[in-house]
Each structure stands twice: as C-alpha cells, then as structure tokens.
Amino acid sequence: MDRQTDRDVSDVSNLLYRHPELYEVVYDGAGHAVAKLAETILHDQLGRRAESLLDIGCGTGRDLEYLATHIPDVVGVDHQQAMIDYARTRRPEINFQTGDMRTLRLERAFEAITCFGYALANIHANRDIDKAIATFAAHSQPGTVLILEMIDPQRTDKLPRSFTIDIPDLRAEAIAEYRHHYAQQLLERRRTWRRAQGLVHDHVNFRLIYPKELEHYLDNHGFEVLGAYELSEKLNAASAFVAARYRGEQS
Ligand SMILES: C[S@@+](CC[C@H](N)C(=O)[O-])C[C@H]1O[C@@H](n2cnc3c(N)ncnc32)[C@H](O)[C@@H]1O
C-alpha cells in the first residue's frame, strides 16, 4: 500500500503552468523533435500513419498541433483548465478536453496514445499510476501504440538546470535544483526565476519509475513494451520514450 507521505499531483507550483504562453517560450519544442520522434515510432510500429491519436497531459497542445498535420483525428487532454483554455485559443482546430489521466473515460479508442513532457511523472502514488495506465488501456484497441516520455532514473543528471525567458515583456532566468527522495521514489525540483520584478519560486515532485516497474504496470493492463527511444535535444536528454503495444484485455 502507498504511504501517506506520497505527495499528490496538486503539490505543484509552476510559473509556466500559471502562464501557458511562457511555457512555450521555455519549452520551444526544438523544431517539434518529440512530435517527429513519435511520428517515426508510430510509422515503424503501425506500418502506416496513425488515423487517430490521444495526447494525455497535452499542456498547450504544441506537439498535437504538429501531429495533427499528419493524423486526421486527434484529441488532447490535460487536467489544468488554464492549459486547455490556452490550447483552445491558440489551436482552435484541435479538440481539447479537460480531464485527469487517472479517471478520464472518453468511451472511445485511438490507434495511438501519447503522454509527453513527463506528464505521467506528476502521478506519484502506485495506485494512481495503476489508474493512469488503466486509462491508457480504456482508450486502446488491440494494436494501439502507446508512447510515454519517461524520466530515465539513471540520467536525472541530464535534466535541465538553467532556463531562460527572453521576450519583449519579460526577461527571466531560472536555476533548478534537484533532490532525490529515495523512499518515495520522487525527484523534487525547486526552481527560482529571477526577474526585474523579483524572484518567483517553482516547486514540483516527479515520480521516478524504473523500466521493469513500468513494464509491470503496462503488462498488468494489456500492454507489451516494444522498446525505448532517446533524443539528444538538451531539454529531453534525460528522457526515455517508451513505446508499448496494446494486446487487449487480460483474461
Ligand atoms: C510539463 S507539462 C507537458 C505538456 C506537454 N505534454 C509537453 O510535452 O509540452 C505536464 C502536463 O501534464 C499535465 N498533467 C499533470 N497531471 C495530470 C493528470 N493527472 N491528468 C492529466 N494531465 C496532467 C499538466 O497539467 C501539464 O500540462
């Protein structure tokens, strides 16, 4: 059973979540590197382009905008209303919904499901990770390809330490400090933004999930791990993109 000390998803304070327009300045997507990798993985695994895709924890919908140029039927879901409001305004042609990956049920299946930007790492308790994977299964059909951007627990030293915002209205720089909490398998990030108006502090805990652990969660819900991919881009250097295929429900 999970301990009371498991920290909840609400334990996040993030300047960029309060200002989604700044999120895209800091995480500019490096020429859609993640979306392009996903496109390649999906093409390799399906042997053709995907016809439908659900992006869970889609944030501002930046990756979905690129993927929607090749995939006709895309839906983005995020549990933060501010992100969804921004995504809808910025990308009105895309279907964005507010929802929690632990409970979401759209009552339909997709050929591809993605979860990028360590969205799953915001889920801390084992029972909640189980619920999130059950959600992925609930939106899958046999053959659905799932791609998860995970923090590689062996490469946390590659997580970004410095961040910059440099736009006409705002110049800010941040330094991030990371601290491991061994028993909870959490990586705490404290980030301090320096702006002319003063300091702003961010705080988030990322749940680290080891590969065999993830395989176990996925297998329990009918997914077979296909492999892990990497990107060299600075902001993704600690990422493992784990691809899995849905076999169908367990008997
Ligand atoms: C770092 S952002 C990544 C956004 C986007 N996928 C990207 O790569 O740019 C993580 C996102 O996960 C979302 N998130 C966190 N917990 C969630 C949950 N339980 N259900 C759905 N989305 C969640 C956050 O609101 C946030 O937008």
Side-chain angles (χ1 to χ4, degrees):
M1 203 167 132
D2 290 302
R3 294 151 44 114
Q4 285 294 310
T5 46
D6 280 332
R7 295 165 202 201
D8 195 57
V9 285
S10 56
D11 184 18
V12 173
S13 96
N14 191 324
L15 172 70
L16 305 182
Y17 288 180
R18 292 196 297 278
H19 299 279
E21 70 284 3
L22 297 181
Y23 183 90
E24 292 199 359
V25 174
V26 174
Y27 298 100
D28 65 2
H32 297 294
V34 169
K36 285 180 179 168
L37 176 66
E39 197 183 8
T40 305
I41 296 171
L42 291 176
H43 197 272
D44 285 355
Q45 296 301 335
L46 295 171
R48 54 176 172 78
R49 72 166 197 193
E51 291 297 322
S52 59
L53 182 143
L54 172 63
D55 188 25
I56 300 187
C58 64
T60 64
R62 182 203 54 218
D63 293 320
L64 214 43
E65 179 181 310
Y66 176 86
L67 290 164
T69 60
H70 305 274
I71 301 175
D73 173 14
V74 301
V75 178
V77 173
D78 200 282
H79 86 142
Q80 289 198 58
Q81 192 62 49
M83 284 289 191
I84 291 298
D85 289 346
Y86 177 82
R88 284 181 178 150
T89 307
R90 180 86 202 271
R91 295 162 176 120
E93 67 289 357
I94 295 180
N95 179 356
F96 289 106
Q97 308 280 334
T98 309
D100 186 321
M101 72 174 88
R102 294 167 295 182
T103 52
L104 179 77
R105 292 296 179 270
L106 298 177
E107 308 303 339
R108 58 160 295 192
F110 295 81
E111 285 192 345
I113 300 179
T114 52
C115 187
F116 296 140
Y118 309 145
L120 184 59
N122 288 280
I123 306 296
H124 299 160
N126 291 347
R127 59 179 172 274
D128 286 333
I129 296 170
D130 213 45
K131 286 182 187 171
I133 308 293
T135 295
F136 302 152
H139 296 89
S140 296
Q141 58 201 23
T144 291
V145 175
L146 169 70
I147 307 174
L148 304 173
E149 185 180 6
M150 308 294 296
I151 298 175
D152 179 345
Q154 310 259 43
R155 281 187 281 146
T156 56
D157 59 319
K158 299 275 193 299
L159 284 164
R161 254 69 189 169
S162 61
F163 302 82
T164 306
I165 297 172
D166 194 358
I167 54 175
D169 293 346
L170 177 65
R171 169 147 183 96
E173 289 183 348
I175 299 295
E177 288 177 8
Y178 296 91
R179 188 171 153 221
H180 283 271
H181 296 274
Y182 176 76
Q184 294 134 333
Q185 238 170 270
L186 292 180
L187 180 65
E188 179 180 7
R189 184 188 69 196
R190 288 188 178 277
R191 190 164 59 178
T192 304
W193 291 95
R194 287 171 199 284
R195 314 166 300 165
Q197 305 92 314
L199 301 181
V200 185
H201 301 284
D202 271 356
H203 180 238
V204 64
N205 285 300
F206 296 117
R207 167 67 195 259
L208 298 177
I209 304 179
Y210 283 82
K212 283 289 171 193
E213 226 183 330
L214 180 62
E215 189 181 319
H216 180 71
Y217 283 113
L218 290 170
D219 185 49
N220 278 347
H221 290 283
F223 288 98
E224 176 197 353
V225 174
L226 299 166
Y229 300 74
E230 288 177 21
L231 270 181
S232 56
E233 272 72 11
K234 187 169 162 251
L235 288 170
N236 306 91
S239 298
F241 292 84
V242 177
R245 189 192 311 280
Y246 189 60
R247 295 187 293 263
E249 281 179 31
Q250 304 297 286
S251 52

